[in-house]
Amino acid sequence: MKDRAFVPTMGALHAGHLSLIELAKSYSDEVVLSIFVNPLQFENKEDLAKYPRDLDADKKLAMSAGAMQIWAPTVDEIYPDEPSIISAGKLGSKYEGVNRAGHFDGVLTVVDRLFKHVQPTYAVFGEKDFQQLFLIKQWVQENKVPVQIISAPLIRDQDGLALSSRNIRLGDEGRKSALVISQALLAARESRDPHSTMLEVLASEPGFKLDYAIVIDEESFEEASASTLNTRALIAGWVNGVRLLDNMQMSVVA
Ligand code: AMP
């Protein structure tokens, strides 16, 4: 069978998604992009209702970026039956999972269903959602899912804000406040004590409400210690009622 590279998304496409298509093209001549807002991963009904949707614009963008097939299934197509939920385990209820019970179970359950439909050789996921990427890689490895997971670097706007479909809800003032997140990550990267530095910078912006700021070991997703070689800082929080997520590699020892 021919190789196929798959890019799963929830639509409202931006340059971050398009970079995933570009990367997918370097793995296979056949790129499939899916657009599916997965109700199972939204524990908050309002967030689900407010999630931006513009299928026509998405199709045009994805085609121009070189996706060969664009697949926008309905909820009934993906879940014709009551799905048996895949558990994301302990890590699934930490960090992003703390206030979003069942979120990562919903992510793994939909990824499993999407993979079964598309049967890709490769699937590309962004480092923007670092915990999601980690959990998908772990699930694939533990369950011998026959798909190679490709990580794509996080894409930022020129001002440093990590691109996200939710950014359009920030407004001008909110956008300014949101810049504190990438500023905190950059300052942390230059600091001997990245965790304290992040907290200090984040606290300087009254428009930002912190959810968590952590430094983890990239290999294990455990909180980093002084001897951890490959570390990454992750920040999540709220600006103007919009939840924002960002991360940056701190130190790497090859
Ligand atoms: P979403 O539509 O938000 O579910 O995202 C679909 C895919 O695009 C996921 O693998 C995300 O990690 C990835 N993605 C979203 N934003 C970015 C970004 N700014 N840079 C790189 N990848 C991204």
Side-chain angles (χ1 to χ4, degrees):
M1 206 175 76
K2 227 173 130 255
D3 277 0
R4 183 177 296 148
F6 179 39
V7 181
T9 79
M10 296 203 297
L13 300 182
H14 51 65
H17 297 112
L18 303 188
S19 76
L20 268 54
I21 298 176
E22 277 304 318
L23 188 57
K25 277 162 56 182
S26 71
Y27 281 85
S28 170
D29 292 338
E30 187 182 338
V31 174
V32 179
L33 176 120
S34 66
I35 298 173
F36 180 64
V37 182
N38 174 32
L40 271 193
Q41 71 190 70
F42 285 82
E43 63 305 324
N44 179 333
K45 293 275 169 284
E46 198 185 325
D47 195 25
L48 174 62
K50 279 191 184 163
Y51 201 81
R53 294 164 211 243
D54 189 345
L55 193 54
D56 287 341
D58 282 350
K59 282 183 173 166
K60 281 187 197 131
L61 260 180
M63 291 296 275
S64 67
M68 297 179 62
Q69 292 178 47
I70 295 147
W71 179 48
T74 61
V75 173
D76 284 345
E77 229 175 304
I78 298 298
Y79 303 120
D81 46 9
E82 188 70 30
S84 52
I85 303 296
I86 298 177
S87 168
K90 250 191 184 167
L91 178 57
S93 47
K94 288 172 86 174
Y95 312 124
E96 279 307 283
V98 169
N99 294 315
R100 309 187 68 186
H103 168 70
F104 286 117
D105 297 351
V107 168
L108 293 184
T109 304
V110 80
V111 168
D112 178 51
R113 297 246 158 164
L114 296 171
F115 281 6
K116 282 182 175 141
H117 276 270
V118 176
Q119 305 212 338
T121 324
Y122 307 98
V124 184
F125 293 89
E127 288 183 348
K128 162 79 168 42
D129 300 281
F130 202 76
Q131 190 176 356
Q132 166 176 287
L133 173 64
F134 185 94
L135 285 166
I136 291 171
K137 278 186 180 163
Q138 195 177 54
W139 166 73
V140 161
Q141 199 180 17
E142 284 174 1
N143 295 281
K144 301 190 170 52
V145 178
V147 178
Q148 193 178 323
I149 304 300
I150 314 292
S151 315
L154 187 154
I155 306 294
R156 303 179 178 280
D157 234 328
Q158 276 178 350
D159 58 8
L161 184 66
L163 291 178
S164 163
S165 306
R166 292 187 165 96
N167 291 352
I168 48 175
R169 285 167 42 205
L170 281 171
D172 288 348
E173 279 307 303
R175 208 184 152 90
K176 274 186 210 146
S177 301
L179 293 182
V180 76
I181 304 173
S182 56
Q183 286 160 1
L185 289 167
L186 284 169
R189 204 167 58 175
E190 302 304 319
S191 165
R192 285 169 153 259
D193 182 357
H195 188 240
S196 309
T197 301
M198 278 196 292
L199 295 179
E200 227 171 86
V201 177
L202 292 170
S204 70
E205 172 51 61
F208 178 74
K209 190 171 152 280
L210 180 67
D211 219 341
Y212 63 82
I214 45 163
V215 183
I216 56 143
D217 178 339
E218 287 197 345
E219 313 311 320
S220 64
F221 224 102
E222 299 287 336
E223 294 208 20
S225 67
S227 60
T228 306
L229 299 180
N230 299 337
T231 59
R232 185 172 287 258
L234 290 86
I235 295 176
W238 298 84
V239 171
N240 264 356
V242 181
R243 189 145 193 295
L244 297 171
L245 190 58
D246 200 346
N247 68 79
M248 197 178 280
Q249 201 163 49
M250 295 284 114
S251 65
V252 208
V253 177

